[in-house]
Amino acid sequence: MIATVAATAAMSAQFASAARDYISIVGSSTVYPFATVVAERFGRSSGFTTPKIESTGSGGGMKIFCQGVGLQHPDVTNASRRMKSSEFELCKKNGVKDIVEVQIGYDGLAVANSVKGADMDLSLRDLYLALAKDVPNPNGSEELVPNPYKTWKQVNPALPDVEIEVVGPPPTSGTRDSFNELGIEGGCKTYSWLKALKGSDKSRYKAVCRSIREDGHYIEAGENDNLIVQKLEANPNALGVFGYSFLEENTAIVKPVKIAGVEPGMETVSSGEYPMSRSMYFYVKKAHVGVVPGIKEYVNEFTNERAWGTSGYLVDKGLIPSADNERRQWAAQAKGMKTMTGKEFH
């Protein structure tokens, strides 16, 4: 009891040393536009200061979020994938022990090209062969070789005879994590002998099935999806990787590449028919609730039906809502500030 009182007093002193009247948010560039709309509406209607949001990427946001408790640290981090167990442990190690997780809905991981470019339909195997660091030997043997493919036609004779050039996010991005897992690994698993590696040597399997080539055919564009769109506009032969919401916002410039015959869309993403669908989240530092003004109210605004519901204002921005029962469950969890236990990773 005495230790708890001492810890609370220390935390209060830490907070008192740096007064802040606004919510500080970091994290995913994919979630950024949704969080920005919520923050602006919240600032206009609630009487609280509009939250400040930085687009740092999911991985970068988790690192910053998990550095500690106190007003020099952010209150919320956005993520275009679920928090990893290693990040949860880092948070705990640094005293960030009470974290509230909220799933806000779904996003499709889009592959797109310029409206002036060729119409394309890629299988997950095509993506893997085009972009993995090491791929199965083209001679058919069960051995891996450094990726030899230079054009899409070499990957698959049905594809255009143009150089493989894919512009996408860096390793700090949740979009990159999702692309590695859903796209590259998704294609890797279509080889039974590589899929079998998962059971025998999980770390080797991950290294083989989630590593992207570094020889210039995949170009990192930083944590800026708008920059990717600009690069596609400038080069009709290039493909880009970003969240479905950016595709929706830029239909005059870019068009979707089909994946396994399916285009990303509201229905195909929420149903799981589109092969590269993912959940989006934000995480709240419960120790900051009641100290930084407006955190609970901001969370309530984000999880309100007028925001994330099927007719909510975030749908106009490209958010794909969770099912009704999922939204009810997450809203209740957010309202009650229910914290993670660590069992979420098992």
Side-chain angles (χ1 to χ4, degrees):
M1 178 72 178
I2 293 170
T4 305
V5 171
T8 305
M11 193 180 292
S12 299
Q14 195 177 18
F15 279 127
S17 68
R20 173 154 59 74
D21 70 345
Y22 62 88
I23 301 165
S24 172
I25 303 172
V26 294
S28 165
S29 61
T30 302
V31 180
Y32 177 82
F34 304 125
T36 299
V37 173
V38 175
E40 287 169 352
R41 286 188 175 235
F42 172 76
R44 284 198 304 269
S45 63
S46 67
F48 293 100
T49 304
T50 302
K52 292 188 179 173
I53 309 176
E54 287 180 77
S55 177
T56 63
S58 298
M62 290 291 181
K63 268 187 193 165
I64 301 164
F65 179 81
C66 289
Q67 279 174 3
V69 168
L71 297 191
Q72 68 273 41
H73 303 295
D75 313 304
V76 177
T77 190
N78 300 321
S80 57
R81 43 96 174 150
R82 196 167 209 178
M83 177 182 271
K84 298 174 183 176
S85 59
S86 58
E87 292 163 338
F88 184 71
E89 292 305 318
L90 175 66
C91 270
K92 276 208 308 190
K93 181 182 163 190
N94 291 331
V96 184
K97 293 180 179 172
D98 292 317
I99 302 166
V100 180
E101 178 183 57
V102 183
Q103 180 187 300
I104 64 168
Y106 294 94
D107 185 37
L109 188 60
V111 178
N113 63 347
S114 164
V115 290
K116 301 173 203 157
D119 290 338
M120 291 180 74
D121 185 346
L122 301 174
S123 67
L124 291 176
R125 181 176 283 199
D126 292 336
L127 277 178
Y128 167 66
L129 291 177
L131 294 174
K133 189 171 185 179
D134 298 308
V135 296
N137 194 319
N139 69 14
S141 62
E142 292 188 0
E143 65 166 347
L144 292 166
V145 296
N147 196 323
Y149 300 112
K150 308 295 182 195
T151 69
W152 288 103
K153 196 173 185 67
Q154 288 170 353
V155 166
N156 179 340
L159 296 174
D161 190 14
V162 295
E163 187 179 357
I164 296 164
E165 187 175 342
V166 178
V167 187
T172 51
S173 167
T175 301
R176 171 73 170 266
D177 287 338
S178 298
F179 183 61
N180 288 0
E181 181 183 347
L182 301 171
I184 307 302
E185 183 184 344
C188 184
K189 288 190 297 190
T190 64
Y191 290 91
S192 56
W193 59 279
L194 288 175
K195 187 179 181 181
L197 254 185
K198 191 171 187 179
S200 61
D201 189 343
K202 197 168 184 180
S203 59
R204 168 80 175 140
Y205 168 80
K206 271 192 173 182
V208 168
C209 288
R210 293 193 189 181
S211 294
I212 290 195
R213 64 196 301 181
E214 298 169 350
D215 57 357
H217 290 280
Y218 180 89
I219 300 108
E220 290 178 8
E223 298 286 358
N224 187 341
D225 294 317
N226 287 315
L227 182 60
I228 299 176
V229 171
Q230 288 165 25
K231 285 182 177 289
L232 300 189
E233 188 175 22
N235 180 2
N237 286 333
L239 303 187
V241 178
F242 40 64
Y244 169 72
S245 57
F246 279 87
L247 180 66
E248 278 284 276
E249 286 174 20
N250 293 282
T251 51
I253 304 168
V254 294
K255 62 184 177 184
V257 168
K258 288 182 181 175
I259 304 295
V262 182
E263 276 191 17
M266 297 284 279
E267 293 79 18
T268 59
V269 170
S270 60
S271 69
E273 182 189 354
Y274 181 68
M276 296 199 296
S277 307
R278 59 181 174 165
S279 307
M280 295 183 291
Y281 300 83
F282 66 80
Y283 294 85
V284 181
K285 211 169 278 179
K286 191 172 180 179
H288 288 198
V289 175
V291 180
V292 175
I295 293 177
K296 252 192 170 175
E297 291 81 0
Y298 169 79
V299 171
N300 288 343
E301 175 62 31
F302 213 134
T303 58
N304 194 293
E305 283 296 293
R306 68 174 169 265
W308 73 356
T310 51
S311 301
Y313 59 76
L314 291 177
V315 173
D316 296 335
K317 282 283 169 187
L319 179 77
I320 297 169
S322 302
D324 293 353
N325 61 328
E326 280 187 310
R327 291 200 310 281
R328 280 195 294 272
Q329 178 192 331
W330 286 108
Q333 193 160 306
K335 191 164 188 171
M337 286 283 146
K338 185 182 174 188
T339 56
M340 298 171 73
T341 62
K343 290 179 181 173
E344 294 85 357
F345 307 108
H346 304 301

